[in-house]
Amino acid sequence: MDWGAVELSVRLAGATTVILVVLGVPLAYWLSFSRWRLKFLVEAVVALPLVLPPTVLGFYILLALGPHSPVGQFYEALTGRMLPFSFQGLLIASVLYSLPFAVQPLVSAFSSVDRRLIEASLVLGVSSLRTFFRVILPLALPGLITAIVLSFAHTLGEFGVVLMVGGNIEGVTRTAAIAIYDHVQALNYEAAGQTALVLVGVSFVVLAITYGMQRRVWAVWPW
């Protein structure tokens, strides 16, 4: 059992989820309420990782973060290190790869909020920001929880993008999915099975939470 790889995967998934919530909530809000006619182009870009092969997406991310790119050169000048084959590069790749899993549930949740409630709050003199936190976000809470759960689970099981951008450096970029692949290549099926069992357990919990929310199990919560 490669607990180091599991710990790295959990840390990567947790950090990715936090960043996706911070970035995904305002982006999803804009996609839900904006009347810009070309909004569909932004929606297509956000959904692109769903249809692109992970190796293709990982290749372009690798080029975008490499030492010859503006981003890579800026980061290297700032820190003295390269983004590819580092945890920071892995984090950027994971955020881009899991972006639709955070944004799409939030867009669906925000779009389902009754516009009359929002208008009533604004008519009563409540600011747009307070209306968002006091009306929209509480009503969209199941969607927010779904976005968090799916982002975490999707990042936890990443393989193609992680391998392309981060490689297989033990303790730095070697995640649980890559560790399973290495164990199978070495014919160490016992270690591969143990690590895989952990991911299966996490995936089951994630699906149980997601389907439970769809059945409004969370309606018993005080808010």
Side-chain angles (χ1 to χ4, degrees), residues 179-189:
I180 293 172
Y181 177 79
D182 284 346
H183 290 320
V184 171
Q185 290 293 99
L187 302 181
N188 188 354
Y189 294 113

Side-chain angles (χ1 to χ4, degrees), residues 2 5 12 24 49 51 67 69 73 82 100 104 116 160 163 184 191 193 195 206 219:
D2 195 338
L12 177 64
V51 296
S69 69
Q73 291 175 353
M82 294 193 304
Q104 291 188 351
R116 292 173 297 179
L163 190 61
V184 171
T195 307
V206 165

